Amino acid sequence: MRNNRLVLVAFLFLGLINFPIISLFDNSKSVGGVPLLYAYCVVVWVFVILLTGIILNYKNKK
């Protein structure tokens, strides 16, 4: 079951970094002096790391 969730996270990551979605953030705006595209990539990266950590540390209660 854990492997299925990790594969789902991998596909989610690929979907969020895919061209049609990432092109939405490719503009001249900035967040705190950081270009929006870079900020989006870092936020997605941290989200995927946290989600992977939660999945790997989750213990079944069976």
Side-chain angles (χ1 to χ4, degrees):
M1 188 68 158
R2 180 186 294 181
N3 290 336
N4 292 342
R5 291 181 182 156
L6 290 175
V7 169
L8 181 65
V9 169
F11 280 118
L12 176 69
F13 179 68
L14 288 174
L16 290 173
I17 302 294
N18 202 356
F19 174 70
I21 294 177
I22 207 166
S23 67
L24 296 173
F25 299 95
D26 189 19
N27 55 29
S28 61
K29 294 181 183 176
S30 64
V31 177
V34 178
L36 186 62
L37 179 62
Y38 295 161
Y40 171 76
C41 289
V42 169
V43 167
V44 168
W45 178 57
V46 169
F47 173 72
V48 168
I49 289 173
L50 290 175
L51 194 58
T52 303
I54 290 169
I55 290 170
L56 291 177
N57 289 325
Y58 179 76
K59 296 183 180 15
N60 287 334
K61 296 182 180 181
K62 291 184 179 180

